[in-house]
mmCIF file of all heavy atoms in Angstrom:
data_model
loop_
_atom_site.group_PDB
_atom_site.id
_atom_site.type_symbol
_atom_site.label_atom_id
_atom_site.label_comp_id
_atom_site.label_asym_id
_atom_site.label_seq_id
_atom_site.Cartn_x
_atom_site.Cartn_y
_atom_site.Cartn_z
ATOM 1 N N PRO A 1 16.724 29.755 34.016
ATOM 2 C CA PRO A 1 16.007 28.485 34.128
ATOM 3 C C PRO A 1 14.505 28.711 34.286
ATOM 4 O O PRO A 1 14.076 29.610 34.997
ATOM 5 C CB PRO A 1 16.598 27.865 35.395
ATOM 6 C CG PRO A 1 17.953 28.475 35.510
ATOM 7 C CD PRO A 1 17.802 29.880 34.978
ATOM 8 N N GLY A 2 13.733 27.938 33.587
ATOM 9 C CA GLY A 2 12.286 28.078 33.609
ATOM 10 C C GLY A 2 11.781 29.091 32.589
ATOM 11 O O GLY A 2 10.593 29.217 32.377
ATOM 12 N N GLY A 3 12.708 29.824 31.965
ATOM 13 C CA GLY A 3 12.347 30.780 30.932
ATOM 14 C C GLY A 3 11.608 32.004 31.422
ATOM 15 O O GLY A 3 11.081 32.768 30.633
ATOM 16 N N GLU A 4 11.580 32.220 32.764
ATOM 17 C CA GLU A 4 10.775 33.322 33.268
ATOM 18 C C GLU A 4 11.421 34.699 33.112
ATOM 19 O O GLU A 4 10.735 35.701 33.138
ATOM 20 C CB GLU A 4 10.404 33.099 34.741
ATOM 21 C CG GLU A 4 11.570 33.148 35.716
ATOM 22 C CD GLU A 4 12.282 31.834 35.917
ATOM 23 O OE1 GLU A 4 11.911 30.833 35.290
ATOM 24 O OE2 GLU A 4 13.216 31.813 36.716
ATOM 25 N N LEU A 5 12.743 34.763 32.932
ATOM 26 C CA LEU A 5 13.411 36.060 32.849
ATOM 27 C C LEU A 5 14.541 35.995 31.831
ATOM 28 O O LEU A 5 15.441 35.164 31.964
ATOM 29 C CB LEU A 5 13.965 36.436 34.231
ATOM 30 C CG LEU A 5 14.602 37.794 34.399
ATOM 31 C CD1 LEU A 5 13.567 38.900 34.205
ATOM 32 C CD2 LEU A 5 15.216 37.910 35.795
ATOM 33 N N PRO A 6 14.526 36.849 30.825
ATOM 34 C CA PRO A 6 15.639 36.857 29.866
ATOM 35 C C PRO A 6 16.932 37.299 30.552
ATOM 36 O O PRO A 6 16.902 38.125 31.466
ATOM 37 C CB PRO A 6 15.217 37.880 28.820
ATOM 38 C CG PRO A 6 13.790 38.190 29.073
ATOM 39 C CD PRO A 6 13.491 37.811 30.489
ATOM 40 N N THR A 7 18.054 36.752 30.128
ATOM 41 C CA THR A 7 19.332 37.142 30.729
ATOM 42 C C THR A 7 19.602 38.622 30.492
ATOM 43 O O THR A 7 20.280 39.263 31.293
ATOM 44 C CB THR A 7 20.505 36.311 30.175
ATOM 45 O OG1 THR A 7 20.533 36.427 28.765
ATOM 46 C CG2 THR A 7 20.408 34.873 30.586
ATOM 47 N N ALA A 8 19.071 39.185 29.404
ATOM 48 C CA ALA A 8 19.258 40.613 29.144
ATOM 49 C C ALA A 8 18.700 41.440 30.300
ATOM 50 O O ALA A 8 19.263 42.462 30.662
ATOM 51 C CB ALA A 8 18.596 41.002 27.828
ATOM 52 N N ASP A 9 17.599 40.995 30.886
ATOM 53 C CA ASP A 9 17.024 41.698 32.034
ATOM 54 C C ASP A 9 17.803 41.406 33.316
ATOM 55 O O ASP A 9 18.014 42.289 34.135
ATOM 56 C CB ASP A 9 15.563 41.294 32.234
ATOM 57 C CG ASP A 9 14.668 41.789 31.110
ATOM 58 O OD1 ASP A 9 15.092 42.693 30.356
ATOM 59 O OD2 ASP A 9 13.554 41.264 30.983
ATOM 60 N N MET A 10 18.235 40.179 33.480
ATOM 61 C CA MET A 10 18.955 39.775 34.685
ATOM 62 C C MET A 10 20.314 40.461 34.782
ATOM 63 O O MET A 10 20.755 40.824 35.864
ATOM 64 C CB MET A 10 19.129 38.250 34.684
ATOM 65 C CG MET A 10 19.849 37.711 35.866
ATOM 66 S SD MET A 10 18.832 37.848 37.325
ATOM 67 C CE MET A 10 19.897 37.105 38.522
ATOM 68 N N TYR A 11 20.994 40.614 33.647
ATOM 69 C CA TYR A 11 22.353 41.146 33.649
ATOM 70 C C TYR A 11 22.474 42.479 32.925
ATOM 71 O O TYR A 11 23.548 42.833 32.442
ATOM 72 C CB TYR A 11 23.307 40.122 33.009
ATOM 73 C CG TYR A 11 23.340 38.807 33.745
ATOM 74 C CD1 TYR A 11 22.906 37.641 33.135
ATOM 75 C CD2 TYR A 11 23.804 38.729 35.037
ATOM 76 C CE1 TYR A 11 22.939 36.427 33.805
ATOM 77 C CE2 TYR A 11 23.836 37.520 35.719
ATOM 78 C CZ TYR A 11 23.397 36.375 35.095
ATOM 79 O OH TYR A 11 23.434 35.186 35.771
ATOM 80 N N ASP A 12 21.396 43.262 32.874
ATOM 81 C CA ASP A 12 21.442 44.541 32.170
ATOM 82 C C ASP A 12 22.473 45.497 32.765
ATOM 83 O O ASP A 12 23.062 46.311 32.050
ATOM 84 C CB ASP A 12 20.063 45.187 32.112
ATOM 85 C CG ASP A 12 19.500 45.521 33.486
ATOM 86 O OD1 ASP A 12 20.018 44.999 34.503
ATOM 87 O OD2 ASP A 12 18.527 46.294 33.551
ATOM 88 N N PHE A 13 22.757 45.388 34.042
ATOM 89 C CA PHE A 13 23.734 46.272 34.677
ATOM 90 C C PHE A 13 25.154 46.028 34.151
ATOM 91 O O PHE A 13 26.006 46.910 34.228
ATOM 92 C CB PHE A 13 23.708 46.118 36.204
ATOM 93 C CG PHE A 13 24.165 44.774 36.682
ATOM 94 C CD1 PHE A 13 25.487 44.578 37.044
ATOM 95 C CD2 PHE A 13 23.277 43.710 36.751
ATOM 96 C CE1 PHE A 13 25.923 43.330 37.478
ATOM 97 C CE2 PHE A 13 23.711 42.472 37.185
ATOM 98 C CZ PHE A 13 25.030 42.279 37.542
ATOM 99 N N LEU A 14 25.419 44.834 33.599
ATOM 100 C CA LEU A 14 26.747 44.563 33.043
ATOM 101 C C LEU A 14 26.982 45.389 31.781
ATOM 102 O O LEU A 14 28.098 45.858 31.537
ATOM 103 C CB LEU A 14 26.913 43.072 32.746
ATOM 104 C CG LEU A 14 26.911 42.155 33.966
ATOM 105 C CD1 LEU A 14 26.951 40.696 33.535
ATOM 106 C CD2 LEU A 14 28.052 42.479 34.912
ATOM 107 N N ALA A 15 25.942 45.592 30.988
ATOM 108 C CA ALA A 15 26.058 46.453 29.806
ATOM 109 C C ALA A 15 26.320 47.892 30.244
ATOM 110 O O ALA A 15 27.142 48.597 29.643
ATOM 111 C CB ALA A 15 24.788 46.368 28.967
ATOM 112 N N GLU A 16 25.659 48.316 31.305
ATOM 113 C CA GLU A 16 25.881 49.661 31.836
ATOM 114 C C GLU A 16 27.315 49.798 32.362
ATOM 115 O O GLU A 16 27.958 50.830 32.161
ATOM 116 C CB GLU A 16 24.881 49.963 32.942
ATOM 117 C CG GLU A 16 23.453 50.060 32.450
ATOM 118 C CD GLU A 16 22.443 50.111 33.591
ATOM 119 O OE1 GLU A 16 22.839 50.412 34.741
ATOM 120 O OE2 GLU A 16 21.266 49.853 33.328
ATOM 121 N N GLN A 17 27.809 48.763 33.035
ATOM 122 C CA GLN A 17 29.182 48.773 33.543
ATOM 123 C C GLN A 17 30.163 48.931 32.385
ATOM 124 O O GLN A 17 31.087 49.732 32.450
ATOM 125 C CB GLN A 17 29.479 47.492 34.311
ATOM 126 C CG GLN A 17 30.921 47.378 34.775
ATOM 127 C CD GLN A 17 31.241 46.020 35.379
ATOM 128 O OE1 GLN A 17 30.349 45.286 35.808
ATOM 129 N NE2 GLN A 17 32.503 45.668 35.409
ATOM 130 N N TRP A 18 29.963 48.154 31.325
ATOM 131 C CA TRP A 18 30.860 48.228 30.175
ATOM 132 C C TRP A 18 30.837 49.627 29.560
ATOM 133 O O TRP A 18 31.878 50.192 29.232
ATOM 134 C CB TRP A 18 30.480 47.180 29.135
ATOM 135 C CG TRP A 18 31.528 47.043 28.090
ATOM 136 C CD1 TRP A 18 32.617 46.237 28.128
ATOM 137 C CD2 TRP A 18 31.617 47.773 26.868
ATOM 138 N NE1 TRP A 18 33.381 46.414 26.994
ATOM 139 C CE2 TRP A 18 32.789 47.351 26.208
ATOM 140 C CE3 TRP A 18 30.827 48.739 26.263
ATOM 141 C CZ2 TRP A 18 33.177 47.861 24.981
ATOM 142 C CZ3 TRP A 18 31.212 49.253 25.038
ATOM 143 C CH2 TRP A 18 32.378 48.805 24.411
ATOM 144 N N ALA A 19 29.646 50.212 29.419
ATOM 145 C CA ALA A 19 29.519 51.548 28.839
ATOM 146 C C ALA A 19 30.233 52.597 29.694
ATOM 147 O O ALA A 19 30.881 53.499 29.167
ATOM 148 C CB ALA A 19 28.045 51.911 28.665
ATOM 149 N N LEU A 20 30.153 52.473 31.013
ATOM 150 C CA LEU A 20 30.840 53.414 31.905
ATOM 151 C C LEU A 20 32.354 53.261 31.836
ATOM 152 O O LEU A 20 33.084 54.249 31.911
ATOM 153 C CB LEU A 20 30.373 53.214 33.351
ATOM 154 C CG LEU A 20 28.970 53.698 33.674
ATOM 155 C CD1 LEU A 20 28.560 53.244 35.072
ATOM 156 C CD2 LEU A 20 28.883 55.215 33.566
ATOM 157 N N GLU A 21 32.822 52.033 31.699
ATOM 158 C CA GLU A 21 34.261 51.777 31.672
ATOM 159 C C GLU A 21 34.877 52.030 30.289
ATOM 160 O O GLU A 21 36.087 52.145 30.167
ATOM 161 C CB GLU A 21 34.555 50.338 32.097
ATOM 162 C CG GLU A 21 34.246 50.083 33.560
ATOM 163 C CD GLU A 21 34.435 48.636 33.966
ATOM 164 O OE1 GLU A 21 34.597 47.759 33.092
ATOM 165 O OE2 GLU A 21 34.412 48.376 35.173
ATOM 166 N N ASN A 22 34.044 52.099 29.273
ATOM 167 C CA ASN A 22 34.512 52.284 27.890
ATOM 168 C C ASN A 22 33.724 53.388 27.206
ATOM 169 O O ASN A 22 33.059 53.145 26.190
ATOM 170 C CB ASN A 22 34.373 50.972 27.110
ATOM 171 C CG ASN A 22 35.171 49.853 27.714
ATOM 172 O OD1 ASN A 22 36.354 49.743 27.466
ATOM 173 N ND2 ASN A 22 34.534 49.035 28.530
ATOM 174 N N PRO A 23 33.782 54.630 27.734
ATOM 175 C CA PRO A 23 32.947 55.703 27.170
ATOM 176 C C PRO A 23 33.242 55.962 25.692
ATOM 177 O O PRO A 23 34.388 55.996 25.275
ATOM 178 C CB PRO A 23 33.311 56.920 28.032
ATOM 179 C CG PRO A 23 34.596 56.585 28.697
ATOM 180 C CD PRO A 23 34.682 55.088 28.765
ATOM 181 N N GLY A 24 32.161 56.077 24.936
ATOM 182 C CA GLY A 24 32.277 56.382 23.516
ATOM 183 C C GLY A 24 32.661 55.208 22.638
ATOM 184 O O GLY A 24 32.672 55.316 21.419
ATOM 185 N N ARG A 25 32.971 54.083 23.227
ATOM 186 C CA ARG A 25 33.359 52.899 22.460
ATOM 187 C C ARG A 25 32.121 52.061 22.164
ATOM 188 O O ARG A 25 31.353 51.757 23.076
ATOM 189 C CB ARG A 25 34.357 52.091 23.284
ATOM 190 C CG ARG A 25 35.196 51.171 22.457
ATOM 191 C CD ARG A 25 36.351 50.646 23.285
ATOM 192 N NE ARG A 25 36.570 49.271 22.897
ATOM 193 C CZ ARG A 25 37.084 48.347 23.668
ATOM 194 N NH1 ARG A 25 37.442 48.631 24.892
ATOM 195 N NH2 ARG A 25 37.250 47.136 23.224
ATOM 196 N N PRO A 26 31.894 51.676 20.915
ATOM 197 C CA PRO A 26 30.699 50.872 20.606
ATOM 198 C C PRO A 26 30.793 49.485 21.247
ATOM 199 O O PRO A 26 31.879 48.931 21.417
ATOM 200 C CB PRO A 26 30.705 50.776 19.088
ATOM 201 C CG PRO A 26 32.107 51.053 18.676
ATOM 202 C CD PRO A 26 32.712 51.930 19.728
ATOM 203 N N CYS A 27 29.654 48.931 21.594
ATOM 204 C CA CYS A 27 29.634 47.618 22.248
ATOM 205 C C CYS A 27 29.805 46.475 21.262
ATOM 206 O O CYS A 27 30.047 45.335 21.674
ATOM 207 C CB CYS A 27 28.368 47.431 23.061
ATOM 208 S SG CYS A 27 26.869 47.350 22.082
ATOM 209 N N GLY A 28 29.698 46.750 19.980
ATOM 210 C CA GLY A 28 29.874 45.699 18.979
ATOM 211 C C GLY A 28 28.805 44.628 19.119
ATOM 212 O O GLY A 28 27.625 44.931 19.216
ATOM 213 N N THR A 29 29.227 43.386 19.178
ATOM 214 C CA THR A 29 28.271 42.275 19.254
ATOM 215 C C THR A 29 28.126 41.736 20.677
ATOM 216 O O THR A 29 27.615 40.642 20.869
ATOM 217 C CB THR A 29 28.704 41.130 18.313
ATOM 218 O OG1 THR A 29 30.012 40.680 18.695
ATOM 219 C CG2 THR A 29 28.709 41.583 16.865
ATOM 220 N N ARG A 30 28.588 42.493 21.662
ATOM 221 C CA ARG A 30 28.440 42.052 23.055
ATOM 222 C C ARG A 30 26.962 41.949 23.407
ATOM 223 O O ARG A 30 26.147 42.733 22.947
ATOM 224 C CB ARG A 30 29.125 43.037 23.999
ATOM 225 C CG ARG A 30 30.602 42.965 23.965
ATOM 226 C CD ARG A 30 31.201 44.053 24.871
ATOM 227 N NE ARG A 30 32.636 44.012 24.850
ATOM 228 C CZ ARG A 30 33.400 44.520 23.894
ATOM 229 N NH1 ARG A 30 32.826 45.120 22.872
ATOM 230 N NH2 ARG A 30 34.703 44.441 23.939
ATOM 231 N N ARG A 31 26.669 40.987 24.271
ATOM 232 C CA ARG A 31 25.294 40.811 24.749
ATOM 233 C C ARG A 31 25.339 40.135 26.105
ATOM 234 O O ARG A 31 26.312 39.436 26.432
ATOM 235 C CB ARG A 31 24.479 39.980 23.770
ATOM 236 C CG ARG A 31 25.004 38.562 23.596
ATOM 237 C CD ARG A 31 24.301 37.840 22.450
ATOM 238 N NE ARG A 31 24.976 36.617 22.114
ATOM 239 C CZ ARG A 31 24.692 35.419 22.635
ATOM 240 N NH1 ARG A 31 23.735 35.308 23.520
ATOM 241 N NH2 ARG A 31 25.355 34.351 22.258
ATOM 242 N N PRO A 32 24.310 40.320 26.929
ATOM 243 C CA PRO A 32 24.272 39.634 28.217
ATOM 244 C C PRO A 32 23.917 38.157 28.011
ATOM 245 O O PRO A 32 22.946 37.839 27.315
ATOM 246 C CB PRO A 32 23.172 40.348 28.995
ATOM 247 C CG PRO A 32 22.726 41.487 28.147
ATOM 248 C CD PRO A 32 23.232 41.266 26.768
ATOM 249 N N VAL A 33 24.727 37.283 28.573
ATOM 250 C CA VAL A 33 24.480 35.836 28.514
ATOM 251 C C VAL A 33 24.862 35.228 29.857
ATOM 252 O O VAL A 33 25.520 35.862 30.681
ATOM 253 C CB VAL A 33 25.296 35.128 27.402
ATOM 254 C CG1 VAL A 33 24.873 35.606 26.032
ATOM 255 C CG2 VAL A 33 26.778 35.307 27.613
ATOM 256 N N GLU A 34 24.445 34.009 30.052
ATOM 257 C CA GLU A 34 24.872 33.262 31.231
ATOM 258 C C GLU A 34 25.609 32.018 30.764
ATOM 259 O O GLU A 34 25.054 31.208 30.019
ATOM 260 C CB GLU A 34 23.691 32.876 32.112
ATOM 261 C CG GLU A 34 24.152 32.239 33.405
ATOM 262 C CD GLU A 34 23.030 32.031 34.389
ATOM 263 O OE1 GLU A 34 22.274 31.062 34.220
ATOM 264 O OE2 GLU A 34 22.914 32.846 35.317
ATOM 265 N N LEU A 35 26.876 31.891 31.184
ATOM 266 C CA LEU A 35 27.666 30.695 30.898
ATOM 267 C C LEU A 35 27.435 29.718 32.039
ATOM 268 O O LEU A 35 27.636 30.052 33.204
ATOM 269 C CB LEU A 35 29.152 31.048 30.803
ATOM 270 C CG LEU A 35 30.109 29.861 30.632
ATOM 271 C CD1 LEU A 35 29.855 29.141 29.314
ATOM 272 C CD2 LEU A 35 31.553 30.329 30.722
ATOM 273 N N ARG A 36 26.984 28.515 31.690
ATOM 274 C CA ARG A 36 26.739 27.463 32.686
ATOM 275 C C ARG A 36 27.640 26.280 32.361
ATOM 276 O O ARG A 36 27.597 25.745 31.256
ATOM 277 C CB ARG A 36 25.284 27.017 32.647
ATOM 278 C CG ARG A 36 24.321 28.127 32.960
ATOM 279 C CD ARG A 36 22.884 27.658 32.820
ATOM 280 N NE ARG A 36 21.994 28.805 32.927
ATOM 281 C CZ ARG A 36 20.804 28.856 32.386
ATOM 282 N NH1 ARG A 36 20.336 27.830 31.704
ATOM 283 N NH2 ARG A 36 20.064 29.928 32.513
ATOM 284 N N VAL A 37 28.454 25.905 33.335
ATOM 285 C CA VAL A 37 29.363 24.777 33.159
ATOM 286 C C VAL A 37 29.032 23.755 34.243
ATOM 287 O O VAL A 37 29.080 24.055 35.431
ATOM 288 C CB VAL A 37 30.844 25.212 33.272
ATOM 289 C CG1 VAL A 37 31.758 24.022 33.070
ATOM 290 C CG2 VAL A 37 31.158 26.307 32.273
ATOM 291 N N ARG A 38 28.675 22.547 33.809
ATOM 292 C CA ARG A 38 28.364 21.469 34.741
ATOM 293 C C ARG A 38 29.617 20.624 34.968
ATOM 294 O O ARG A 38 30.286 20.228 34.015
ATOM 295 C CB ARG A 38 27.208 20.631 34.207
ATOM 296 C CG ARG A 38 25.892 21.393 34.274
ATOM 297 C CD ARG A 38 24.751 20.693 33.573
ATOM 298 N NE ARG A 38 24.958 20.418 32.158
ATOM 299 C CZ ARG A 38 24.939 21.336 31.191
ATOM 300 N NH1 ARG A 38 24.762 22.597 31.474
ATOM 301 N NH2 ARG A 38 25.109 20.990 29.935
ATOM 302 N N LEU A 39 29.915 20.405 36.241
ATOM 303 C CA LEU A 39 31.109 19.666 36.641
ATOM 304 C C LEU A 39 30.733 18.483 37.505
ATOM 305 O O LEU A 39 29.712 18.512 38.183
ATOM 306 C CB LEU A 39 32.042 20.559 37.483
ATOM 307 C CG LEU A 39 32.476 21.887 36.916
ATOM 308 C CD1 LEU A 39 33.098 22.741 38.005
ATOM 309 C CD2 LEU A 39 33.482 21.647 35.814
ATOM 310 N N THR A 40 31.589 17.485 37.519
ATOM 311 C CA THR A 40 31.508 16.413 38.497
ATOM 312 C C THR A 40 32.731 16.578 39.380
ATOM 313 O O THR A 40 33.866 16.457 38.898
ATOM 314 C CB THR A 40 31.515 15.029 37.824
ATOM 315 O OG1 THR A 40 30.407 14.960 36.926
ATOM 316 C CG2 THR A 40 31.412 13.925 38.841
ATOM 317 N N CYS A 41 32.491 16.921 40.652
ATOM 318 C CA CYS A 41 33.605 17.152 41.566
ATOM 319 C C CYS A 41 33.070 17.288 42.995
ATOM 320 O O CYS A 41 31.869 17.341 43.216
ATOM 321 C CB CYS A 41 34.372 18.410 41.181
ATOM 322 S SG CYS A 41 33.400 19.922 41.227
ATOM 323 N N SER A 42 33.990 17.376 43.929
ATOM 324 C CA SER A 42 33.614 17.612 45.323
ATOM 325 C C SER A 42 33.289 19.098 45.503
ATOM 326 O O SER A 42 33.659 19.940 44.679
ATOM 327 C CB SER A 42 34.761 17.229 46.258
ATOM 328 O OG SER A 42 35.843 18.125 46.088
ATOM 329 N N LEU A 43 32.631 19.420 46.610
ATOM 330 C CA LEU A 43 32.323 20.807 46.914
ATOM 331 C C LEU A 43 33.610 21.622 47.081
ATOM 332 O O LEU A 43 33.713 22.749 46.599
ATOM 333 C CB LEU A 43 31.467 20.907 48.178
ATOM 334 C CG LEU A 43 31.075 22.315 48.620
ATOM 335 C CD1 LEU A 43 30.317 23.048 47.522
ATOM 336 C CD2 LEU A 43 30.261 22.257 49.909
ATOM 337 N N ARG A 44 34.582 21.045 47.712
ATOM 338 C CA ARG A 44 35.869 21.734 47.913
ATOM 339 C C ARG A 44 36.533 22.061 46.572
ATOM 340 O O ARG A 44 37.038 23.165 46.370
ATOM 341 C CB ARG A 44 36.775 20.849 48.759
ATOM 342 C CG ARG A 44 38.070 21.489 49.103
ATOM 343 C CD ARG A 44 38.866 20.572 50.000
ATOM 344 N NE ARG A 44 40.037 21.254 50.482
ATOM 345 C CZ ARG A 44 40.872 20.749 51.335
ATOM 346 N NH1 ARG A 44 40.668 19.546 51.830
ATOM 347 N NH2 ARG A 44 41.917 21.426 51.726
ATOM 348 N N THR A 45 36.511 21.120 45.661
ATOM 349 C CA THR A 45 37.097 21.353 44.333
ATOM 350 C C THR A 45 36.300 22.395 43.575
ATOM 351 O O THR A 45 36.870 23.277 42.927
ATOM 352 C CB THR A 45 37.170 20.029 43.545
ATOM 353 O OG1 THR A 45 37.998 19.119 44.276
ATOM 354 C CG2 THR A 45 37.730 20.228 42.159
ATOM 355 N N TRP A 46 34.978 22.338 43.651
ATOM 356 C CA TRP A 46 34.126 23.328 42.998
ATOM 357 C C TRP A 46 34.459 24.728 43.493
ATOM 358 O O TRP A 46 34.616 25.659 42.699
ATOM 359 C CB TRP A 46 32.656 23.004 43.255
ATOM 360 C CG TRP A 46 31.704 24.009 42.691
ATOM 361 C CD1 TRP A 46 31.197 24.048 41.436
ATOM 362 C CD2 TRP A 46 31.158 25.146 43.367
ATOM 363 N NE1 TRP A 46 30.359 25.143 41.283
ATOM 364 C CE2 TRP A 46 30.325 25.820 42.466
ATOM 365 C CE3 TRP A 46 31.290 25.651 44.660
ATOM 366 C CZ2 TRP A 46 29.625 26.973 42.807
ATOM 367 C CZ3 TRP A 46 30.594 26.810 44.998
ATOM 368 C CH2 TRP A 46 29.779 27.447 44.075
#
């Protein structure tokens, strides 16, 4: 939010995690992203 930081920088450790868990396997088209889902609900339900 605000465009101040690309998700690639925010979640770069997830790419490292995948590489460690899948040695030698290409990452293909994987990329760091943020999924945002807006809900209408109570805090307890959330």
Side-chain angles (χ1 to χ4, degrees):
E4 67 273 1
L5 185 65
T7 56
D9 292 343
M10 180 70 178
Y11 300 116
D12 62 344
F13 66 94
L14 294 175
E16 293 170 18
Q17 175 187 339
W18 192 88
L20 287 171
E21 292 176 348
N22 300 277
R25 201 167 143 207
C27 66
T29 59
R30 287 176 180 80
R31 63 189 168 92
V33 295
E34 186 171 79
L35 175 64
R36 299 176 189 154
V37 181
R38 289 171 302 287
L39 306 166
T40 301
C41 61
S42 68
L43 180 58
R44 184 177 188 176
T45 300
W46 177 86

